[in-house]
Each structure stands twice: as C-alpha cells, then as structure tokens.
C-alpha cells in the first residue's frame, strides 16, 4: 500500500521495533524448543523456567548418534532416503507432464488438469486404507517403497501445476530455433526447455522434498518396523513411549527442523514463489 | 490434408509427455479413491481383509455411522468448529501482518520472510512443540498466564475435554498465519498506489482507504485464501493426531482422525473408509466451488 511512500526516520524506528516484537512473539516457540533441547531434564521442569540453559547439556544430541531407543540418526537417514526418492519420482514424472500440458493441445487436457487440481485437495485419509491394502498385496508394505510411492502423489500434482506455467511462458521461437539446430522434440525438451525452466524445477523439487519430509500418516501406517520408519514417525513413537522426556523430544524436533531450516535459509525466494503461485493459481 | 495430419501428430505427442505422470496418479490415487468407495460398501475387518470375496452391505456403514454412532456427529461438528475458528483467527492476524509488513521500513522484507518458518516445519514437530508448551506443569503457556495474573491454577490444556480443542486450534493458527500473510501480501502489491494517492487528495481517511479500496480490490485474493484455507484446515490430521489423538473423550476428534482410528486402531476398515468418504465428499464440493471460481476468474 505505502510501498514507495517515504517514511520518516522516527517512524522507521517505530515500525522496526514493532516488527521485532512481532518476530519475537511469533517465533518464540522455535526459540523455546531450541533452548529446551540444550537444558538438563531437571532444569526443564524447574519453576520458574529459565529462558536460556544455565547448564549446557548436549547429551540429548549425542544420544541420537548412539544405538538404542534414543537413536534418531537412523530415522533421519530413512527420512532423507524417502524424501529424496519421492522428490526424484515427482520431478521425473512432473517435468515432462507439465511440458506436455503447457505446449500441446490434445483432447482431454482440461480434464487432466482438473484431475491434478482435485488430487491436490484430497485428504490423506481417503488414500490411507486402500493404499495400505494395495501395498500389502504388492508386498511393498513395511518397505521404504510404500511411503516413497505414496509421498510422490502429493509432489506430482503440485509440481505439474506449477511447472506448466513456467513452460507456458517460454516463447515458441526458442523451441523452433532448437529444431533448426537439429534437435527433435525430445532433445529440444531436454537440452533447451528444461534448462530454461530450471527455477520452476527447483521450486517443485523443494516442495516435493518438504511434503515427503513432513509426512507422518503414510510413513507411520505403511512402515511398521521402527528401524525403517521416517523421523516424524520416530518422534511420534518416542512421544508415546517417553512422553515426558522433553530434553530428548525437543532435540529430535530441532534435528528434524535442520534440513527445513537450511532449505529455508538458502532458497527462501523459491519457497515464496512456490507458495504464492501454487496456492493462487491452484 | 498433409498439414492437418502434421498438426494432429504434433498435438498427439503431448500424450506421451503426460502419460507417465497420469498413469502414476491413476494407479496410486484414482484407483484407491474408487476402491475406497467400494470398501465403504463392504464389511471388511481384520478377519476379512484377506478373504477373496467380501460381503457387499450397501449403505449399511453409512446408515450405522449416521444413526448409531454419535462419535461421527461429534467429529463432523469438531471438524467444522476447528476449521472456522482457525480460519477466522489466522486470516485476521495474517491480514494485519500483511498490511503491516507492506509498509516501507528497513527490516520489513527479511522479517516477513522469517515469519514463514512455522508453515514449513513438519507438522509432527509443530504438534510436539505445542504439546510441550501446553503442558500442565512443564508448559510455558501456563507460566505466562499465571505471570499475567489471568489464571491462578495451572490449566490441564490437553487432558481436559473443555480446553483441548482451544489448544489444537491455537497450534493450527500458528501454522496458518504465514500462509494467509504471504498470499495477502502478494495481493496487496497488485493494488496500484495511485488509487490511494488520489483518494487521499480527495480527503479520504485511512479507514475509508481500507474499506473502499483495499478490501474490494483484494476480494479475489481474500476469497481464494479463505477457500484454500478451508480445504487445508478441514482435512487436518497430523496435528491433532500427535497432540491429542482425538481425545480426551473425543473432544478433539475430527473426521480424519476418526477415520484413522476406525481403520487402524479398531480395524473396521470399511467404517473407516466410509468416514473418509464423507470427508472427501465435503472437500470435493468445496473444491468444485473453488475451481469454478478460479476458472471464471481466468476467463474474466
């Protein structure tokens, strides 16, 4: 609204103070679990609570690398395998599909777009039971594959819908120039169009990864062995068993946030573009 | 003739590109939707899961759910309450933040960016954070409320049927605020600044500027934020499952958690499927309204 309007120095300081206050209040929960993860169990239950750790305790982090119930390192690796694989499936399938939708006018195209739109709005509960039965029959139950395949169903429609806008915005002339240079439709797609739509591909990769990284329902339902489960299911399991071990629980939470935070710090512009284009254009 | 043939060939290639993704979705989403519908008309439990022929029972599961199962109505009502309460607060707060961070001060953009964090975090982690903060004795929320003199005894937020819903709503509002904020922020940047300038010259005050320019011009954004918010919130699952598992005494039971409970804790797969379908039908209708709206916008 006031984007270009000059504001006085005094106003600037006032706004900055309010902004910092809002920041502190809204992100307090994140600060709070971080400091809690560095406290001793005794200090966590202390009243009044301490707002930073008086005794620095890194045992909750170290325990994650050791074997036993508190080992989350393995779950973390499981989550990485699941999220990266499901991201790759989503990208490999969604990139050509979105290109096909953006550049060719075939029959039934509108219906296909509509199908992708509707699957994006699907509640997980609808797929849970039938996929559970299906994976049992396919002998994929209790393997990484079950969760990888299921997680990709979230990434694919999102990626197709985002990427089709990227491909649609590439001028036809670029493609034609590639044909003159001796490319056919497939090599032109791979050598010329995908590199141009790289930004969009990154956005889709990030979101497909994040969807799979954050999934609990599929990982918890389709994988039963604790050693194969993703970290979200590991945390849930741990909460059930050691519900008041908050030093460990908050440390798990912090570790789970790390990849998200890294993506967030280095790729913020992609996230905002993904959120806005994905949501508004559906 | 040759030209036409060439044109046809050209567009047919599109199918080749779309086919793999389409086949994948058909197999892992389309087919399960259909089999979930069939499942809800059968009577499949743990015993009959591996049977070759499954008894067809028609609408019996649905009839039983609506007539005999008071938990279904509770879940339906809770889902609706949860959705409306969350939407209301996250929209108002998100809107206010969007307007505030749209002002041209130094740290506006980086801070607004950082406020997106809650939306990115795995919901299981968010649920854990709020379960910790809403803890009766260990929780910081009770400590703050006592410090402010608002309560004299600690509230047992998550174990009390009267307060559990409030706690999960607050946690979900925290997740939803960034989503509302960023979409409304984007909407705000599309309003031409000249409109405000000329209206100010004509003597309009801030309130008028907001109600006469901002709100009407943001109408499309607001509508899509609310409808999408409704869809995302209505299918809430992880957050409630981790924080309360639908309890205590079903006070936070929503359709998705109830469906999960029926299928994977009580092993009444058909009943669970029926509840999931009820959720699906409601969301499907809302989605259609949204899609119709999006398409009419695009054509306009």
């Amino acid at each position: 609204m006031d984007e270009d309007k000059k504001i006085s120095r005094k106003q600037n300081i006032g706004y900055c103070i309010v902004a910092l206050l809002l920041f502190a209040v809204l992100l307090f929960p994140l600060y709070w679990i971080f400091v809690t993860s560095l406290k001793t169990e005794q200090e966590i239950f202390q009243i009044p609570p301490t707002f930073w750790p008086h005794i620095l305790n890194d045992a909750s982090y170290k325990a994650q690398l050791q074997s036993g119930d508190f080992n989350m390192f393995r779950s973390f690796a499981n989550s990485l395998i699941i999220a990266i694989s499901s991201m790759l499936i989503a990208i490999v399938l969604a990139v050509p599909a979105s290109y096909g939708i953006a550049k060719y006018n075939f029959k039934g195209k509108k219906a296909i777009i509509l199908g992708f739109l509707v699957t994006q709005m699907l509640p997980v509960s609808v797929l849970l039971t039938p996929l559970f039965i299906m994976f049992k029959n396919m002998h994929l139950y209790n393997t990484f594959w079950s969760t990888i395949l299921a997680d990709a169903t979230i990434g694919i429609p999102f990626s197709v819908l985002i990427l089709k806008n990227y491909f649609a915005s590439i001028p036809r002339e670029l493609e034609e120039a590639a044909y003159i240079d001796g490319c056919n439709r497939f090599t032109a797609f791979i050598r010329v169009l995908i590199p141009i739509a790289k930004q969009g591909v990154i956005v889709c990769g990030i979101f497909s990864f994040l969807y799979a990284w954050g999934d609990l329902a599929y990982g918890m339902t389709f994988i039963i062995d604790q050693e194969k489960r993703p970290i979200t299911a590991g945390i849930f399991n741990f909460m059930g068993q050691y519900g008041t071990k908050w030093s460990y629980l908050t440390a798990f939470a912090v570790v789970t946030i790390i990849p998200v935070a890294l993506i967030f710090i280095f790729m913020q512009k992609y996230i905002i573009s993904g959120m806005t284009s994905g949501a508004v254009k559906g | 003739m040759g030209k036409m043939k060439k044109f046809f060939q050209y567009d047919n290639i599109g199918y080749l590109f779309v086919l793999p993704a389409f086949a994948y979705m058909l197999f892992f989403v389309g087919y399960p939707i259909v089999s979930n519908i069939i499942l809800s008309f059968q009577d499949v439990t743990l015993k009959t899961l591996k049977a070759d022929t499954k008894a067809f029972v028609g609408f019996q599961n649905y009839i039983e759910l609506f007539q005999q199962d008071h938990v279904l109505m509770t879940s339906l009502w809770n889902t609706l309450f949860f959705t409306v309460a969350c939407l209301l607060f996250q929209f108002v707060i998100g809107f206010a933040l969007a307007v505030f961070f749209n002002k041209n001060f130094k740290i506006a953009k980086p801070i607004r960016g950082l406020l997106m964090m809650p939306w990115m975090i795995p919901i299981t982690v968010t649920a854990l954070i709020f379960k910790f903060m809403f803890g009766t004795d260990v929780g910081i929320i009770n400590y703050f409320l006592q410090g402010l003199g608002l309560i004299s005894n600690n509230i047992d937020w998550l174990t009390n049927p009267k307060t559990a819903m409030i706690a999960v709503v607050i946690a979900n509002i925290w997740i939803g605020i960034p989503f509302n904020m960023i979409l409304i922020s984007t909407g705000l940047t599309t309003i031409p600044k000249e409109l405000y300038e000329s209206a100010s010259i004509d003597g309009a005050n801030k309130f008028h500027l907001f109600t006469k320019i901002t709100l009407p011009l943001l109408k499309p954004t607001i509508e899509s934020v609310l409808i999408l918010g409704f869809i995302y919130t209505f299918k809430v699952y992880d957050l409630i499952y981790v924080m309360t598992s639908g309890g205590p005494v079903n006070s936070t039971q929503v359709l998705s958690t109830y469906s999960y409970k029926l299928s994977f804790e009580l092993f009444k797969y058909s009943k669970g499927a029926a509840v999931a379908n009820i959720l699906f039908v409601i969301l499907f209708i809302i989605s259609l309204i949204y899609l119709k709206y999006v398409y009419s916008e695009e054509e306009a």
Side-chain angles (χ1 to χ4, degrees), chain A residues 129 132-133, chain B residues 35 38-51 53-57 61 262-263 266-273:
Chain A
T129 317
F132 168 79
I133 296 171
Chain B
S35 71
I38 296 170
L39 188 62
S40 74
F41 291 122
Q42 294 172 330
D43 185 19
V44 179
T45 58
L46 196 58
K47 272 179 255 167
T48 50
L49 186 61
K50 291 218 163 141
T53 49
K54 285 152 186 148
F56 181 81
V57 296
N61 288 314
L262 285 170
S263 288
L266 305 173
F267 305 111
K268 295 176 181 172
Y269 296 108
S270 289
K271 274 261 168 68

Side-chain angles (χ1 to χ4, degrees), chain B residues 234-254:
Chain B
F234 204 80
K235 59 182 189 181
V236 60
Y237 169 74
D238 313 36
L239 184 78
I240 291 184
Y241 192 71
V242 177
M243 278 181 82
T244 62
S245 295
V249 234
N250 292 319
S251 60
T252 56
Q253 197 74 268
V254 288

Side-chain angles (χ1 to χ4, degrees), chain B residues 190-208:
Chain B
T190 61
I191 302 177
K193 283 141 217 133
E194 296 78 34
L195 280 178
Y196 292 106
E197 281 158 22
S198 56
S200 301
I201 294 165
D202 292 342
N205 61 30
K206 287 222 155 160
F207 178 75
H208 280 132

Side-chain angles (χ1 to χ4, degrees), chain B residues 123-160:
Chain B
I123 291 177
T124 311
V125 171
T126 310
L128 180 148
I129 297 173
F130 278 87
K131 200 170 176 174
F132 178 53
M133 297 209 309
F134 275 112
T136 310
D137 297 315
V138 76
I140 192 82
I141 290 174
N142 274 341
Y143 174 76
F144 282 145
L145 291 175
Q146 285 219 11
L148 293 168
L150 293 171
I151 55 169
S152 49
N153 293 315
N154 282 342
I155 298 175
D156 47 350
W157 289 100
L158 293 168
T159 44
N160 184 336

Side-chain angles (χ1 to χ4, degrees), chain A residues 9-71:
Chain A
R9 208 184 134 81
K10 219 175 171 182
Q11 265 180 317
N12 199 356
I13 294 169
Y15 280 130
C16 287
I17 292 170
V18 177
L20 287 172
L21 278 175
L22 287 169
F23 172 76
V25 171
L26 283 166
L27 294 193
F28 175 77
L30 295 180
Y31 170 76
W32 191 235
I33 56 149
F34 181 65
V35 293
T36 304
S37 71
L38 292 167
K39 288 180 189 175
T40 58
E41 200 66 25
Q42 198 188 358
E43 194 177 335
I44 292 172
F45 283 92
Q46 197 175 304
I47 294 168
T50 52
F51 283 88
W52 56 89
H54 289 188
I55 305 161
L56 208 60
N57 170 38
D58 59 2
S60 324
Y61 289 96
K62 280 184 179 155
Q64 295 186 43
L65 297 168
Q66 286 151 11
S67 58
D69 273 358
F70 304 140
N71 177 358

